[in-house]
Amino acid sequence: MAKLRGLYAITDSQLLADGRLLPYAQAALQGGVRLLQYRDKSGSAEQRLREAGALQELCVRYGAQLIINDDAELAARLGAGVHLGQQDGSISAARTLLGPKAIIGATCHARLQLAEQAQAAGASYVAFGRFFQSQTKPGDVLATPELLVQARRQINLPIAAIGGISLETAAGLISHGADLLAVIHALFAAADAAEVERRARAFSELFTSV
Ligand SMILES: Cc1ncc(COP(=O)(O)OP(=O)(O)O)c(N)n1
Ligand SMILES: Cc1nc(C(=O)O)sc1CCOP(=O)(O)O
Ligand SMILES: [Mg+2]
């Protein structure tokens, strides 16, 4: 599998309501998204299966990887990866369920020790945040660019950055060591799919120019 690097789009059930989920996700993939996380905190199991299945088809078409937030069982059903927070179940159990090739991501907030534990348990990437105020998930800004530099030295896995990342702040995180930029609002709070594609392309180009 290709190295995990590039724009990591995360869906949002409110921003992508009213029929926007698939066209906006497709536009993001067209713009160069490498990982697409299905993050839904509200839907029914049946709706989640249907939506995630449709996203998986899109990801296959664009050569991208689908990641399911929180739900290793749904990931197993679709042959997708999973992202697990500190309260979302064990990484080693997910690894056993999903197999050696699956992408498993772990939330580490701003704590290198959590990243070391995730690495030992079999994670594929570690995620730090928040780097900036997030409109999607408000809370304390904990992570700094210097944390990325330290993580690069100590952790032997791709590093994702998340939380309030915009086109203006993205380059600084890449230059400090982020491999993946996980973005919701600055990508998907857009008037139309063409604008999502334009933003995705602009984020993606930073990975070749920084
Ligand atoms: C790439 C990435 N990083 C962090 C998170 C946050 O996960 P978690 O702490 O479990 O919070 P929720 O997203 O479940 O609200 C993430 N989803 N993706
Ligand atoms: C889902 C999530 N997790 C975060 C963390 O800090 O762990 S911040 C966040 C929301 C990211 O969305 P936006 O790009 O709109 O800020
Ligand atoms: Mg979670």
Side-chain angles (χ1 to χ4, degrees):
M1 182 187 298
K3 182 171 171 11
L4 297 181
R5 181 170 165 82
L7 179 59
Y8 184 173
I10 303 182
T11 68
D12 179 89
S13 27
Q14 275 143 32
L15 283 179
L16 303 182
D18 304 324
R20 287 191 293 272
L21 177 67
L22 296 184
Y24 276 36
Q26 181 165 2
L29 291 162
Q30 185 79 32
V33 157
R34 302 312 306 143
L35 265 63
L36 177 66
Q37 183 183 126
Y38 177 61
R39 180 173 182 270
D40 175 89
K41 300 280 184 182
S42 58
S44 67
E46 185 262 322
Q47 180 189 328
R48 286 166 53 73
L49 178 61
R50 182 167 28 82
E51 291 183 342
L55 292 176
Q56 177 67 310
E57 282 179 24
L58 278 180
C59 284
V60 168
R61 210 188 308 160
Y62 284 88
Q65 304 290 329
L66 180 70
I67 309 294
I68 306 293
N69 189 42
D70 294 342
D71 189 344
E73 302 285 337
L74 179 56
R77 222 168 143 175
L78 293 171
V82 69
H83 183 93
L84 297 175
Q86 292 298 317
Q87 314 296 329
D88 298 330
S90 114
I91 290 166
S92 52
R95 177 61 69 207
T96 303
L97 178 69
L98 299 177
K101 290 189 181 155
I103 298 175
I104 299 177
T107 295
C108 301
H109 303 297
R111 292 172 55 195
L112 287 169
Q113 197 190 352
L114 293 180
E116 281 170 353
Q117 288 166 4
Q119 177 169 271
S124 314
Y125 71 81
V126 291
F128 295 105
R130 303 169 186 77
F131 282 85
F132 307 98
Q133 278 296 344
S134 167
Q135 295 194 47
T136 308
K137 192 169 173 177
D140 292 342
V141 171
L142 300 168
T144 62
E146 289 65 39
L147 174 73
L148 294 171
V149 175
Q150 261 185 296
R152 273 248 84 87
R153 291 197 199 110
Q154 276 177 241
I155 306 294
N156 200 18
L157 289 177
I159 296 167
I162 191 167
I165 299 171
S166 66
L167 273 166
E168 289 69 41
T169 56
L173 299 178
I174 297 169
S175 68
H176 280 80
D179 298 292
L180 294 162
L181 296 183
V183 182
I184 301 179
H185 198 270
L187 184 62
F188 286 127
D192 54 35
E195 175 63 11
V196 173
E197 182 180 335
R198 193 192 66 73
R199 293 181 188 181
R201 187 156 284 125
F203 273 113
S204 299
E205 282 168 358
L206 293 172
F207 286 90
T208 51
S209 63
V210 174

